[in-house]
């Protein structure tokens, strides 16, 4: 007979790892299924400066510390990618590319994937000039010219990070006010080799075997300008990834999973945490908080459903 875990946690980000720590310490049999590295989006964040206990810490270091914490409790990780999740019924099923898992409860924490600009030839330049992760690919552009698209915290942080590597950095934002924190915006505005291009979007990408230039459309004047560059970093946020869930989860208008205060979805024994959840704030601390609540509620659910 297949093993049935108490909890299968889908996604090894900060929320998933926190849920695993709470679940394991409560004596539950838990598996964390993660397709790449522990930490999720945090692992590719250059610097985290708002997680209590660390004045500043690199995202990778914080993710590693969290992972080490899980390993000190012998929490099982399955390095596998989820293909399909069955949320109905008493025993939930998770089909992955390498194996399948069964569990009494599920905690959905697979975050959100990066948004694309959806320009005609965007895909063909991925890895040939276009990147969605400055901390992963920034080093390839030492002494070169790059542009970043976006106006949130990721774009501002990545812009500053890249300005210490590249010779010239353009920051292209579709409005004249940043969505990201003022402290980060000031840092960017005061850096000599950063040029901010407000009220603008990228309208065209050009190159041959690699990216060579972009066309930028100013939405106020309707003028287009060509910028010659070596790299384009797209940092325009993330969107929820729920297609693999087989069932009718209640979603918000933007596609995020709706939960109650206890992280419960509309399916019994199924919880959602972190960036995939409809929430007023998407931060590492809020994801951790979601994880702790979900694990605690899953524990109570398992106890009351024990036969
Ligand atoms: P975000 O906050 O959703 O910002 C996305 C940015 O991209 C916005 O400025 C948005 O413009 C712009 N944008 C969206 N779609 C676009 C399009 N099609 N074309 C051009 N621009 C587009 O995403 P994020 O910066 O990745 O941050 C995600 C979450 O993580 C946020 O809650 C953020 O605070 C958090 N975060 C925190 C830290 C930190 O605290 N250290 C670091 C990184 C991320 P508009 O402003 O006009 O909508």
């Amino acid at each position: 007979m297949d093993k049935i875990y108490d909890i299968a946690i889908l996604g090894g980000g900060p929320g998933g790892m926190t849920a695993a720590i709470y679940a394991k310490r409560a004596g539950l049999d838990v598996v964390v299924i993660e397709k790449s590295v522990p930490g999720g989006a945090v692992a590719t964040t250059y610097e985290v400066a708002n997680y209590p206990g660390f004045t500043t810490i690199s995202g990778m270091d914080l993710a590693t510390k969290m992972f080490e914490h899980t390993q000190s409790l012998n929490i099982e990780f399955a390095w596998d990618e989820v293909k399909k999740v069955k949320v109905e019924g008493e025993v939930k099923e998770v089909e992955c590319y390498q194996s399948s898992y069964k569990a009494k409860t599920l905690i959905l924490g697979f975050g959100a994937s990066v948004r694309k600009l959806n320009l005609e030839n965007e895909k063909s330049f991925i890895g040939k000039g276009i990147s969605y992760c400055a901390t992963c690919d920034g080093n390839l552009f030492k002494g070169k010219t790059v542009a970043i698209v976006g106006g949130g915290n990721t774009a501002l942080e990545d812009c500053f990070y890249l300005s210490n590597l590249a010779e010239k950095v353009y920051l292209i934002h579709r409005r004249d006010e940043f969505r990201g924190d003022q402290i980060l915006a000031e840092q960017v505005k005061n850096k000599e080799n950063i040029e901010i291009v407000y009220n603008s979007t990228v309208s065209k990408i050009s190159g041959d075997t690699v990216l060579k230039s972009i066309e930028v459309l100013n939405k106020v004047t309707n003028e287009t300008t060509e910028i010659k560059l070596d790299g384009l970093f797209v940092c325009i946020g993330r969107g929820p990834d729920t297609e693999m869930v087989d069932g009718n989860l209640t979603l918000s208008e933007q596609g995020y999973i709706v939960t109650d205060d206890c992280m419960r979805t509309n399916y019994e024994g199924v919880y959602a945490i972190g960036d995939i959840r409809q929430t007023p704030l998407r931060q590492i601390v809020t994801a951790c908080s979601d994880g702790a609540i979900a694990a605690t509620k899953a524990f109570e659910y398992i106890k009351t459903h024990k036969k």
Side-chain angles (χ1 to χ4, degrees), residues 1 8 12 19 28 42 52 60 68 83-84 86 118-119 127 134 155 215 231 233-234 279 283 289 291:
M1 201 176 76
L28 299 180
V42 173
M60 182 53 95
E68 284 168 358
K83 206 194 264 182
K84 210 90 235 108
K86 196 174 142 268
N118 290 329
L119 287 170
E215 188 182 270
F233 288 84
V234 181
T279 172
Q283 293 281 295
S289 163

Side-chain angles (χ1 to χ4, degrees), residues 41-59:
V42 173
T44 59
T45 301
Y46 171 56
E47 188 177 82
V48 177
N50 53 9
Y51 190 75
F54 300 96
T55 315
T56 58
I57 184 167
S58 84

Side-chain angles (χ1 to χ4, degrees), residues 240-242 251-257 276 278:
D241 232 350
T242 53
L251 303 179
S252 70
E253 254 179 47
Q254 294 78 31
Y256 293 95
I257 300 174
I276 201 166
Q278 176 60 30

Side-chain angles (χ1 to χ4, degrees), residues 37 62 83 109 114 154 162 178 189 201 258 277 305:
V37 293
L62 183 58
K83 206 194 264 182
V114 286
T154 304
L162 288 168
F178 289 112
K189 285 177 190 170
T201 53
V258 175
R277 184 174 90 84
H305 284 73

Side-chain angles (χ1 to χ4, degrees), residues 163 167-169 187-195:
S163 72
E167 191 190 345
K168 167 93 186 178
V169 180
Q187 211 177 26
V188 160
K189 285 177 190 170
N190 291 329
K191 193 78 196 280
E192 260 181 21
N193 63 340
I194 296 175
E195 184 176 334

Side-chain angles (χ1 to χ4, degrees), residues 21-51:
I21 290 166
Y22 274 70
K24 187 78 179 197
R25 284 173 54 82
L28 299 180
D29 194 4
V30 52
V31 60
V32 181
I33 303 171
E34 167 57 52
K35 69 174 174 187
S36 57
V37 293
V42 173
T44 59
T45 301
Y46 171 56
E47 188 177 82
V48 177
N50 53 9
Y51 190 75

Side-chain angles (χ1 to χ4, degrees), residues 47 50 115 117 149-155 157 173-175 179 235-237 282-283:
E47 188 177 82
N50 53 9
R115 273 196 207 113
L117 289 170
V149 191
N153 279 331
T154 304
E157 276 192 355
H173 181 35
R174 64 183 177 184
R175 291 190 291 137
R179 177 177 294 276
C235 307
I236 59 171
R282 292 191 173 83
Q283 293 281 295

Side-chain angles (χ1 to χ4, degrees), residues 10 82 84-95 101 103 106 244-247 267 270:
L10 313 192
V82 176
K84 210 90 235 108
V85 187
K86 196 174 142 268
V87 289
E88 259 171 293
E90 274 196 25
V91 176
K92 322 291 180 192
E93 289 172 29
V94 185
E95 186 192 340
Y101 303 85
L106 291 178
M244 65 278 258
V245 179
D246 186 12
Y267 282 93
V270 181

